[in-house]
Amino acid sequence: MEQLFEIFLHPEYLNLIYFCIIGVLASALISFLPALHIYNVIGIFMLFVLNIEKTMASMELVSLCIGMIVGYSMLNTVPATYFGPGDESMSYYILPSADWVNKGRGYEGVILTGIGSLTGIITLALLAPLFVYILPTLKTITSPHMFWIIGAVIVYSIMSEWPKGLSQSEKCSTNFFEGWYYLGIGLLLFFASGLLGFIVMSKTLVKPEFAFQSITPVFVGLFAMPWLITNIINIGKIPHQHEAESVEMDWNLIARGTFGGFLGGFFAAFVPIVTAGVGGLMAGHATAQRDGRLFVMSYGTCKTVYYVGSFLLFFIPGLNLARGGLACIINPVSMTFGYKEYFIFVGLMLFAAGISFLLLMPFTRLCIKIVETIPFQWVSIIALCIIIPAVIFYTGVGGAYILIVSTGLGLIPVLFQARRMNLMGVLLLPVCLNMAGYGYYIVKFLGLL
């Protein structure tokens, strides 16, 4: 441990700390726009890095990305709570969080989520030495079976949506059809988004230089645009938010929340395509989370472990596992990383988590002041005015067409009160069927070859 601190604090590596701080501060600015995802920003930044002759050193780029992903995983919860979620992972959290905001307890909910994020980072750091020995074996065991593991996740996600019918009719057929009304919409959403996924992955319509982010218009349309649109037409008003001086938690709840959140987050980080929303749902059911405080805190752990953990896996020596969008983005400019770089990553991760947690409370106060001063409809209008031109500028006319179609799909669960998680079929269905060996025949049948 002493040797690790000597390496981390050596003057040769102090520049990495500077880049890490810059990344955290940049994530705070990015988080103000609920429809802007950190992967999109880093992807656009990488276009500039690849196009200039003198690029950043690999570890400097990694340090910047660590600061950005850790800061985003902690700080983005704040504007997502008050302005609306920008992705599927946020939509999983927003319903109980919205209830807390309506009761004037949004500040307390954000702090609980921040505590969960911090405990998730600490747990990742404590387990980092064990990952070096355990994960290569786990990868060898699970790799041949990954397609049916994802298939089981799909089945569970669909079956976990219970009928919402409230009819008390004496006719069984009336109750039956009312119950299947919402389930049918969920199934329709899943398979329609899966079809969109096959089309986008097989025949990308975006500019060639932006092809590595061809899924961006899809996710902006499915998850960001519908929420911004509903925010604009919403005539409600966020009540005054009470700034709590303490949170009602004990070590038992913290341990339970960290355990459940870490299970869901690490499962999502290790298994391809599974997101924090799906992983958190499964872990919440597995650990029987019923306390509202427990749910909010465990979500913070789950989301942070998913984002940061998937990036951490990329640096484990000998694992060769690229999970999550960030690992795929920096893969073209990365070097061979050893144990020293891996543990420097862990140190920078802890440092970024500390800085982000210190920024969390003033950042929350700033967001509360904004929503209490400016109607949040205007925040959504500003976000739309930035997001739509940015998507069209980087993805072209083809990206605009994808954005329109995916926005139409994304509005369906809002209009019919279905679960937005079914829209993750855009990734789950194509990837699962491709891993099972049926993807080629489906693409050929659809005439996409």
Side-chain angles (χ1 to χ4, degrees):
M1 183 63 69
E2 182 178 352
Q3 185 179 7
L4 177 61
F5 278 106
E6 290 179 359
I7 293 175
F8 186 65
L9 297 177
H10 192 278
E12 179 184 353
Y13 301 105
L14 286 179
N15 64 320
L16 302 183
I17 296 178
Y18 302 148
F19 278 102
C20 188
I21 294 174
I22 293 172
V24 172
L25 296 177
S27 71
L29 294 176
I30 296 166
S31 296
F32 263 115
L33 286 177
L36 197 60
H37 199 284
I38 192 69
Y39 289 165
N40 305 142
V41 176
I42 296 177
I44 295 170
F45 173 73
M46 288 300 301
L47 290 176
F48 294 101
V49 172
L50 294 173
N51 288 330
I52 58 178
E53 295 181 0
K54 186 178 180 181
T55 60
M56 300 168 59
S58 293
M59 281 307 297
E60 292 174 350
L61 178 61
V62 168
S63 302
L64 181 69
C65 291
I66 291 172
M68 293 180 75
I69 196 65
V70 173
Y72 178 83
S73 66
M74 282 194 175
L75 299 176
N76 186 250
T77 301
V78 183
T81 300
Y82 293 104
F83 306 149
D87 60 14
E88 179 272 338
S89 301
M90 286 295 180
S91 64
Y92 167 70
Y93 159 78
I94 203 65
L95 292 179
S97 174
D99 182 58
W100 284 46
V101 171
N102 290 332
K103 295 177 180 178
R105 299 177 60 191
Y107 183 88
E108 183 182 354
V110 168
I111 300 305
L112 282 175
T113 309
I115 293 173
S117 298
L118 190 61
T119 58
I121 293 289
I122 293 172
T123 306
L124 277 175
L126 292 175
L127 295 177
L130 292 178
F131 289 161
V132 176
Y133 301 100
I134 296 174
L135 293 188
T137 302
L138 184 62
K139 176 190 174 185
T140 302
I141 295 172
T142 58
S143 291
H145 309 284
M146 198 58 73
F147 75 93
W148 67 259
I149 293 175
I150 298 177
V153 170
I154 292 174
V155 172
Y156 183 83
S157 298
I158 294 176
M159 293 185 65
S160 63
E161 184 167 9
W162 298 96
K164 299 184 180 70
L166 300 176
S167 175
Q168 300 295 326
S169 173
E170 295 180 357
K171 294 183 178 181
C172 294
S173 59
T174 302
N175 297 328
F176 176 82
F177 286 113
E178 184 176 346
W180 271 95
Y181 174 78
Y182 297 100
L183 298 179
I185 292 174
L187 290 171
L188 174 65
L189 284 173
F190 182 83
F191 289 106
S193 61
L195 177 61
L196 177 63
F198 271 112
I199 295 173
V200 173
M201 293 180 185
S202 303
K203 291 284 187 180
T204 180
L205 301 178
V206 304
K207 296 178 181 179
E209 62 271 20
F210 202 78
F212 70 100
Q213 288 244 38
S214 60
I215 202 71
T216 295
V218 177
F219 271 81
V220 172
L222 290 178
F223 300 109
M225 295 289 291
W227 200 272
L228 293 175
I229 292 171
T230 52
N231 275 354
I232 293 172
I233 63 177
N234 192 338
I235 60 174
K237 185 178 180 181
I238 293 179
H240 175 71
Q241 299 297 299
H242 172 68
E243 186 175 326
E245 296 181 358
S246 62
V247 291
E248 188 182 354
M249 289 290 286
D250 55 40
W251 289 108
N252 178 50
L253 284 176
I254 291 176
R256 289 170 58 194
T258 302
F259 176 72
F262 187 87
L263 282 181
F266 187 77
F267 179 81
F270 186 79
V271 178
I273 305 305
V274 177
T275 63
V278 179
L281 173 71
M282 297 176 66
H285 289 180
T287 56
Q289 294 177 359
R290 299 182 184 275
D291 192 304
R293 298 166 300 165
L294 190 63
F295 179 90
V296 171
M297 184 204 149
S298 66
Y299 166 75
T301 304
C302 179
K303 176 171 67 83
T304 302
V305 171
Y306 164 67
Y307 280 119
V308 183
S310 60
F311 194 36
L312 177 66
L313 296 180
F314 181 68
F315 291 87
I316 297 178
L319 185 61
N320 297 321
L321 192 65
R323 294 284 188 263
L326 187 52
C328 297
I329 289 172
I330 72 161
N331 191 27
V333 296
S334 64
M335 62 178 185
T336 302
F337 298 104
Y339 291 100
K340 184 173 73 172
E341 289 78 15
Y342 174 62
F343 286 106
I344 288 176
F345 181 106
V346 175
L348 291 171
M349 176 183 72
L350 289 169
F351 177 77
I355 298 295
S356 301
F357 192 76
L358 291 175
L359 290 174
L360 185 62
M361 285 181 277
F363 189 68
T364 306
R365 296 190 191 102
L366 179 60
C367 280
I368 291 175
K369 187 175 182 180
I370 290 174
V371 297
E372 289 183 345
T373 305
I374 305 172
F376 67 91
Q377 287 90 342
W378 282 104
V379 178
S380 299
I381 291 173
I382 294 171
L384 276 178
C385 293
I386 294 175
I387 294 302
I388 295 177
V391 170
I392 296 175
F393 177 78
Y394 284 104
T395 63
V397 178
Y401 290 146
I402 297 173
L403 182 65
I404 293 171
V405 173
S406 56
T407 301
L409 277 177
L411 285 170
I412 293 177
V414 177
L415 297 174
F416 295 95
Q417 301 178 350
R419 194 165 62 182
R420 299 176 74 201
M421 195 176 296
N422 292 310
L423 295 170
M424 281 307 297
V426 71
L427 292 180
L428 288 171
L429 190 61
V431 171
C432 180
L433 293 176
N434 281 327
M435 286 185 171
Y438 300 112
Y440 170 80
Y441 302 102
I442 295 174
V443 171
K444 185 177 181 180
F445 174 78
L446 295 173
L448 298 173
L449 289 180

